[in-house]
Amino acid sequence: LDVYKPFKLQGEQIDGSFKHDGENYTFESKWNDKETACIDLYSFAYKIESNTLYPRGVFFSINGYTDEALNRITYNKKAQLVLFDAVDIIAVLEERITLKSLLDEKIRFAQTHSKIYVNANEILK
């Protein structure tokens, strides 16, 4: 992955971006003590859709996502992002899967099953 530093766009902080298989992705991370709620996912989805030519994003939440957030972000719309959490990072750090392979599988699930969140344990089954 080619990784790029954080930057700002007219009052918005972007945590970073990277290139994967020729595609650019905007990256957002949340290190909250609770699961990430709808508003954070909606905000990020809006950010990537309004600021990029071909919107793609990766959202990382250390403590995962509320059920409502997971259900609502894809309700009646095509979310152009994939979600990561601590389960994913642990799987990569334990070398059960590479980051590139995990990202490839998450993208495949999003494109073929309309699931923007599937964790590494499900992928490795």
Side-chain angles (χ1 to χ4, degrees), residues 88-99 124:
D88 299 317
I89 299 306
I90 290 168
V92 171
L93 292 174
E94 290 177 344
E95 298 181 350
R96 293 186 288 135
I97 191 168
T98 66
L99 180 58
L124 291 167

Side-chain angles (χ1 to χ4, degrees), residues 15 27 29-34 36 60-63 89:
D15 289 346
F27 179 77
S29 62
K30 292 290 180 196
W31 296 88
N32 298 334
D33 57 356
K34 296 188 254 181
T36 295
F60 171 76
S61 173
I62 191 70
N63 282 311
I89 299 306

Side-chain angles (χ1 to χ4, degrees), residues 41-114:
L41 290 181
Y42 278 138
S43 176
F44 181 61
Y46 176 77
K47 212 183 274 190
I48 62 172
E49 289 171 11
S50 64
N51 291 326
T52 59
L53 181 59
Y54 300 106
R56 288 181 177 223
V58 170
F59 194 104
F60 171 76
S61 173
I62 191 70
N63 282 311
Y65 307 87
T66 65
D67 288 337
E68 180 187 20
L70 293 175
N71 291 330
R72 304 261 318 159
I73 192 65
T74 54
Y75 184 76
N76 280 341
K77 74 179 279 194
K78 183 175 87 176
Q80 297 175 324
L81 59 126
V82 292
L83 307 177
F84 280 73
D85 64 12
V87 171
D88 299 317
I89 299 306
I90 290 168
V92 171
L93 292 174
E94 290 177 344
E95 298 181 350
R96 293 186 288 135
I97 191 168
T98 66
L99 180 58
K100 183 183 181 323
S101 294
L102 181 57
L103 184 55
D104 284 337
E105 286 301 304
K106 284 179 172 283
I107 292 166
R108 184 178 70 78
F109 267 84
Q111 292 174 336
T112 60
H113 295 78
S114 298

